[in-house]
Amino acid sequence: MMQLPQHHKPSKPSAPSCCSWWIRRSPPPSPPHRKPGGGGGRSRYACRLVPLLVLTVYSVVTVLRIPSSSFVVTTADSGNPGGLPTRILPALAAVGCWIAPFSPPVLLLSARTEMATRSSAERVERREDLEALKTHLPSNQNSLEAREETRSVASLPCSAFINGEAGYGEEGVLCCDRSHYRSDVCYLRGDVRTDPSTSSVLLYKAPRGSSPEKVRPYTRKFEGGIMSTIDEVTILPVAGAYNASASAGDGGTLRRRCDVRHPRGVPAVVFSTGGYTGNVYHEFSDGLIPLFITAQRFAGEVVFVVLEYHYWWLGRYGAVLERLTNYKVVDFRNDRRVHCFDEMIVGLRIHGELVVDPKLMPNGKSIKDFQALLHQGYSRASSSASASPPVPLPLAPPSRPCPRPAKPKLLIFIRKQNRVLLNLPHVVTACRRAGFAPHVMNLRRQTPLPAIHAALASADAMVAVHGAAVTHFLFMRPGSVLLQIVPVGLDWAADAFYGKPAQQLGLEYLEYKVAPEESSLAAEYGLNSTVVRDPSVISSRGWWEMKKVYMDRQNVTVNIKRFGELLKAARTHLKNTTACAKAAGAAAALR
């Protein structure tokens, strides 16, 4: 503890204190000259005590009034270490300056400690008051959360509109999603009108700043050669309000008259049937499945506007289209009428090769739902059954009634021009020996799809050399077997285009990989040639070089013994997974 001095010693004059700038201090007292009675000293101290008491009362009143104030500025810097309200600093300074000349240091220290403690308590109380106030006034964070809940149209990604996640509104929208390597898709909302004479679509009252967009609505964007053959659609935004009395010369906005006004809430989906259309694989992978992905969420309330329209395509796939739209298909090029919509999607979404990814679908649909739609469209069910919603196919049924042992039905799809199965008779014999009932399918372009569907929907297994005809596995029931014969150099394509999609559909997928000596390329190039032994060298030169060698110039002769082992594996699988096997297993469990 600090000790007080016993004797008064003169000291050097100290620097003015922090509070001396506003208080006029008296000069240093002269040595005392006592007068008789000593009354002069007491009167001098009484004169100092009166202002001191007044300032003390003022300071106390000021401190007591602080809680009633809602807005007090506090500081916590070096000049105000206690964080005291700035409005009481002069009062406290005055008190200190008046007390300092005749207060012991210990009392000053105690007073300062008490004031610091009181100010800290008041600061805590003030923080509580401010926190209570924050619950009634919106903070920056709350404002951000509110803005996120009511996001503007311009802030939403285009995919949200294409997938139907953004809801429907009156505000005009024009956006394009060009992020996918397979396709570009644009979305329009507002007053949408077609102009077939210029192969364009007009959007009136378009959002400000919108610019024209050009789209080729086909799902092979990565192939520049084939995309150059696809008709291009130009989307033209037209800003400004409609003026019926305006003309093109006086700055008004004239709209093309609607020849066909489609119902409100019925959008249009614009796509092309050009490109590789004519190849059954591409018709499904590049056309029908992307159309299902894009349009199924509308539950039939959608109009298809088709570029490069083919009548044979409509006749071949009309049964599928009827389950996706309740309206007639519009031929964009040849229908010269102006069609008016309030919503339009130009282009198709695609997930991959013969794939519907449930994670990317707004309602979780999968390839099994697409297969159910095919089954409903091509099955020969009664009209009442066809009116019901698509239902995924059940487990593969046996070819004959369960009580009698039956040979499972196996279809062999053959090719005539390339990748021909040269020892087909031996393959058919091997299938019989393995316990199958084989049927050879020689498809032609004019073969009706309902006939192919009927044959495969009742089959237990399918055998085919890699090619477009393998696409028909989409008609097979879950639990049945797809056995693909893979020629030399086509391992990746066979697995990516058919193997993985078949497994996602619930089929048992088996591969027979052709050995180098079983390929006709061995006789043409030599068994030890790079073409036969290292197909990656040719594949590295690009798809077209690979196609020319391994797809267009190759035939195969399978090893019957090795092929027979796969047939036995397929037969074993069917014994364990057919409907009869399931029923027999359930009956045995109850015994």
Side-chain angles (χ1 to χ4, degrees):
M1 179 177 295
M2 181 177 177
Q3 296 183 356
L4 298 177
Q6 300 296 328
H7 302 283
H8 175 75
K9 295 181 180 180
S11 59
K12 296 182 180 180
S14 59
S17 63
C18 62
C19 52
S20 62
W21 62 275
W22 68 286
I23 300 177
R24 183 177 179 181
R25 297 180 60 93
S26 302
S30 302
H33 298 281
R34 296 183 181 273
K35 295 181 179 181
R42 283 194 296 269
S43 62
R44 185 168 58 251
Y45 284 110
C47 293
R48 288 192 174 187
L49 285 176
V50 172
L52 175 62
L53 291 175
V54 173
L55 288 174
T56 302
V57 172
Y58 174 76
S59 301
V60 171
V61 172
T62 304
V63 171
L64 293 177
R65 289 181 57 189
I66 291 175
S68 62
S69 176
S70 299
F71 299 94
V72 179
V73 181
T74 61
T75 58
D77 54 9
S78 59
N80 184 14
L84 298 176
T86 56
R87 61 184 295 180
I88 68 170
L89 288 178
L92 294 181
V95 173
C97 293
W98 281 98
I99 295 177
F102 54 88
S103 297
V106 175
L107 296 178
L108 290 176
L109 180 62
S110 301
R112 290 175 182 172
T113 304
E114 182 179 357
M115 286 189 295
T117 304
R118 182 180 301 175
S119 63
S120 299
E122 292 171 352
R123 187 169 64 256
V124 172
E125 182 180 357
R126 178 59 47 224
R127 288 179 181 174
E128 293 178 355
D129 292 342
L130 293 177
E131 290 298 328
L133 186 62
K134 287 183 180 179
T135 61
H136 302 284
L137 296 178
S139 64
N140 293 336
Q141 183 178 0
N142 293 335
S143 299
L144 290 175
E145 293 176 354
R147 284 196 293 270
E148 289 178 358
E149 293 176 358
T150 59
R151 297 174 65 183
S152 63
V153 170
S155 66
L156 293 173
C158 194
S159 58
F161 296 99
I162 298 170
N163 296 332
E165 300 169 351
Y168 187 84
E170 299 296 333
E171 187 175 353
V173 177
L174 171 56
C175 64
C176 292
D177 184 358
R178 303 183 186 272
S179 62
H180 202 280
Y181 78 102
R182 288 291 299 265
S183 66
D184 292 332
V185 185
C186 292
Y187 176 86
L188 298 81
R189 187 174 72 192
D191 187 352
V192 184
R193 308 192 181 199
T194 63
D195 185 2
S197 62
T198 60
S199 188
S200 60
V201 175
L202 305 176
L203 175 61
Y204 292 94
K205 290 187 179 180
R208 289 188 177 182
S210 301
S211 58
E213 302 281 356
K214 294 182 179 292
V215 186
R216 298 184 188 271
Y218 192 61
T219 57
R220 298 192 76 83
K221 185 174 73 171
F222 60 95
E223 289 193 46
I226 198 66
M227 290 299 290
S228 64
T229 67
I230 303 298
D231 288 350
E232 186 176 65
V233 177
T234 302
I235 303 172
L236 297 175
V238 182
Y242 169 65
N243 186 352
S245 61
S247 63
D250 58 12
T253 301
L254 285 177
R255 305 189 188 189
R256 295 180 61 87
R257 180 177 57 85
C258 291
D259 298 316
V260 181
R261 180 174 291 279
H262 294 271
R264 182 175 177 81
V266 178
V269 173
V270 182
F271 62 96
S272 173
T273 56
Y276 290 121
T277 300
N279 178 293
V280 66
Y281 169 79
H282 292 286
E283 288 169 2
F284 276 91
S285 184
D286 301 338
L288 291 177
I289 293 180
L291 182 61
F292 173 81
I293 292 172
T294 307
Q296 59 82 32
R297 70 179 179 89
F298 298 112
E301 290 302 301
V302 61
V303 176
F304 295 152
V305 180
V306 181
L307 282 75
E308 298 162 281
Y309 180 91
H310 303 288
Y311 285 100
W312 65 261
W313 177 84
L314 182 62
R316 186 172 180 81
Y317 297 109
V320 179
L321 300 176
E322 289 175 357
R323 268 93 191 150
L324 290 174
T325 177
N326 300 328
Y327 303 88
K328 292 183 178 181
V329 176
V330 176
D331 183 354
F332 186 79
R333 178 187 294 174
N334 297 318
D335 190 339
R336 313 306 294 179
R337 297 176 298 176
V338 176
H339 291 261
C340 298
F341 303 89
D342 58 5
E343 189 178 10
M344 177 179 285
I345 298 175
V346 183
L348 300 178
R349 285 289 199 194
I350 185 169
H351 296 164
E353 308 295 338
L354 298 178
V355 171
V356 179
D357 189 347
K359 297 179 182 179
L360 301 178
M361 297 292 287
N363 47 17
K365 298 289 185 179
S366 69
I367 189 65
K368 294 182 179 180
D369 295 284
F370 176 75
Q371 187 199 46
L373 184 141
L374 295 177
H375 177 68
Q376 185 189 44
Y378 290 122
S379 64
R380 299 179 180 179
S382 62
S383 58
S384 59
S386 62
S388 59
V391 178
L393 301 182
L395 194 67
S399 302
R400 297 182 182 180
C402 291
R404 297 178 56 188
K407 291 184 177 181
K409 180 181 177 181
L410 182 146
L411 301 184
I412 304 174
F413 285 73
I414 63 173
R415 300 177 60 89
K416 290 295 187 181
Q417 296 181 354
N418 47 44
R419 283 162 280 158
V420 177
L421 188 56
L422 298 176
N423 58 342
L424 176 62
H426 297 89
V427 170
V428 173
T429 301
C431 292
R432 289 197 181 100
R433 290 177 179 175
F436 287 96
H439 300 265
V440 177
M441 298 287 292
N442 183 15
L443 299 183
R444 296 179 174 85
R445 185 62 193 173
Q446 60 270 24
T447 303
L449 274 181
I452 303 174
H453 172 268
L456 280 170
S458 61
D460 300 291
M462 171 183 173
V463 174
V465 181
H466 173 78
V470 185
T471 309
H472 293 109
F473 77 82
L474 291 169
F475 296 153
M476 301 182 72
R477 293 174 177 269
S480 50
V481 177
L482 171 62
L483 199 164
Q484 183 178 197
I485 299 173
V486 183
V488 172
L490 299 178
D491 293 1
W492 175 85
D495 181 63
F497 297 166
Y498 303 114
K500 291 179 180 177
Q503 291 173 323
Q504 292 182 359
L505 194 58
L507 274 61
E508 178 71 9
Y509 176 67
L510 301 175
E511 272 187 356
Y512 178 90
K513 294 187 177 182
V514 173
E517 62 273 10
E518 299 170 3
S519 171
S520 63
L521 298 177
E524 182 177 355
Y525 294 96
L527 184 60
N528 296 321
S529 65
T530 302
V531 172
V532 177
R533 293 295 180 180
D534 192 3
S536 62
V537 175
I538 305 299
S539 300
S540 63
R541 300 175 185 174
W543 169 263
W544 292 107
E545 190 68 21
M546 184 273 291
K547 179 181 182 296
K548 181 175 65 176
V549 175
Y550 297 109
M551 299 184 72
D552 297 343
R553 304 177 63 175
Q554 182 175 194
N555 297 318
V556 298
T557 303
V558 301
N559 182 294
I560 296 301
K561 181 178 180 181
R562 191 158 63 93
F563 186 74
E565 293 176 357
L566 282 178
L567 292 174
K568 291 180 181 179
R571 187 73 174 89
T572 301
H573 168 77
L574 291 173
K575 285 181 179 179
N576 297 329
T577 58
T578 58
C580 284
K582 293 287 185 182
L590 295 175
R591 293 176 184 173

